[in-house]
Amino acid sequence: MHIQPDEGISLQFGAKIPGPEITLGSVRMEFRYKDYFSTSPSTGYETLVYDCMIGDQTLFIRADCVEAGWAVVQPILDLWRSDPSVPLEFYAAGSAGPSAADAVLWRSDRQWRPLA
C-alpha cells in the first residue's frame, strides 16, 4: 500500500506463463490515484471532519470495539509498569525493528522478509 503523497496499491503474485509447460512468472499490478483520477484523494482529516459535519458514522469505530482493543493492550501496559524485569524492546525509527523480533521467528526456522 502506498500512502501520501503517492497513494495507491501494488500487488505482486505468481501467474502461469501461457504455454504447455507449467512455469510461473512474477506479475505486478499497480494502481495509483494520480494515474486514474484528476483530483487528489482527501486527507484523512478532511474525510473525518466532513463525516462529522454530515453525521456519517460509517468510518468511525464503535465504543465497544475501542473497549475490546484496550482490554487486550491494558494488561500488557500494566505488567510493564508494575514489573520492570519484563523486557521492553526499543528500536530506531525507520529500522527493521528490534533484534528480539528476529529471535521469535528464528525459533521456528523462519525469518522476516527484507523491507527493501
Side-chain angles (χ1 to χ4, degrees), residues 63-78:
D64 60 335
C65 291
V66 173
E67 294 297 328
W70 278 110
V72 172
V73 174
Q74 193 61 54
I76 297 167
L77 297 174
D78 293 341

Side-chain angles (χ1 to χ4, degrees), residues 44-112:
Y45 289 113
E46 286 176 277
T47 303
L48 176 72
V49 170
Y50 179 72
D51 287 349
C52 286
M53 290 170 58
I54 64 170
D56 183 352
Q57 299 178 22
T58 306
L59 298 178
F60 291 85
I61 192 165
R62 293 187 343 226
D64 60 335
C65 291
V66 173
E67 294 297 328
W70 278 110
V72 172
V73 174
Q74 193 61 54
I76 297 167
L77 297 174
D78 293 341
L79 179 62
W80 280 334
R81 188 178 301 116
S82 67
D83 185 355
S85 70
V86 175
L88 179 59
E89 298 290 333
F90 294 97
Y91 56 95
S95 73
S99 58
D102 295 329
V104 169
L105 290 183
W106 289 337
R107 286 195 293 261
S108 60
D109 287 331
R110 297 182 181 171
Q111 64 186 24
W112 296 105

Side-chain angles (χ1 to χ4, degrees), residues 11-63:
L11 300 172
Q12 187 168 341
F13 52 92
K16 182 185 176 298
I17 297 173
E21 297 178 18
I22 303 214
T23 308
L24 295 179
S26 182
V27 177
R28 185 172 178 97
M29 296 175 59
E30 296 213 18
F31 166 76
R32 297 202 188 301
Y33 277 93
K34 68 180 180 182
D35 296 338
Y36 292 92
F37 304 111
S38 59
T39 61
S40 298
S42 308
T43 68
Y45 289 113
E46 286 176 277
T47 303
L48 176 72
V49 170
Y50 179 72
D51 287 349
C52 286
M53 290 170 58
I54 64 170
D56 183 352
Q57 299 178 22
T58 306
L59 298 178
F60 291 85
I61 192 165
R62 293 187 343 226

